[in-house]
Amino acid sequence: MSDDEDKKQPDMRAEAKIILDFPIEVEGQKYSSLTMRRPKTKDSKKAAKFKGHDADRGVLLLADLCGVAPNVVDELDEYDAKKLGDQLDAFRGGQSS
């Protein structure tokens, strides 16, 4: 396999719907999916300014991109949270930051 084949192609959609394998309910609202929009530079800058643990910074960024409160992301099963992280990486062309 060549280096070009190894590189992931960026997901160029404006948003992506992530179906939760483990739906949740938070404050009376049920979530069976979340829709994530593409990240903007200002989203990353806002998360970078957060003075806390890296995991909390990640939760804040994912919550902003999905248009939900951070406690919704906190309640996700780890498998579903990883799916959100994978989608963010896909928007970034396979690069996490």
Side-chain angles (χ1 to χ4, degrees):
M1 204 178 254
S2 72
D3 285 338
D4 288 338
E5 292 173 327
D6 274 345
K7 292 179 184 175
K8 294 181 183 178
Q9 293 298 311
D11 184 336
M12 302 304 287
R13 297 176 290 170
E15 62 183 28
K17 183 175 183 178
I18 296 98
I19 305 297
L20 303 179
D21 288 293
F22 302 93
I24 58 171
E25 185 173 332
V26 179
E27 297 176 6
Q29 170 118 16
K30 294 181 182 182
Y31 298 88
S32 57
S33 67
L34 293 172
T35 300
M36 180 184 291
R37 66 172 173 79
R38 295 187 60 76
K40 296 181 179 183
T41 302
K42 66 181 178 181
D43 297 312
S44 296
K45 286 172 59 178
K46 179 181 175 184
K49 289 179 184 176
F50 180 76
K51 304 288 186 217
H53 192 274
D54 285 347
D56 292 327
R57 187 176 298 120
V59 166
L60 177 67
L61 179 59
L62 292 173
D64 280 350
L65 296 178
C66 292
V68 298
N71 64 331
V72 172
V73 176
D74 280 337
E75 289 300 321
L76 292 175
D77 183 271
E78 286 280 332
Y79 184 79
D80 288 327
K82 182 180 181 320
K83 287 170 64 173
L84 291 182
D86 290 347
Q87 181 58 54
L88 177 58
D89 288 346
F91 279 147
R92 291 175 166 165
Q95 301 177 29
S96 357
S97 55

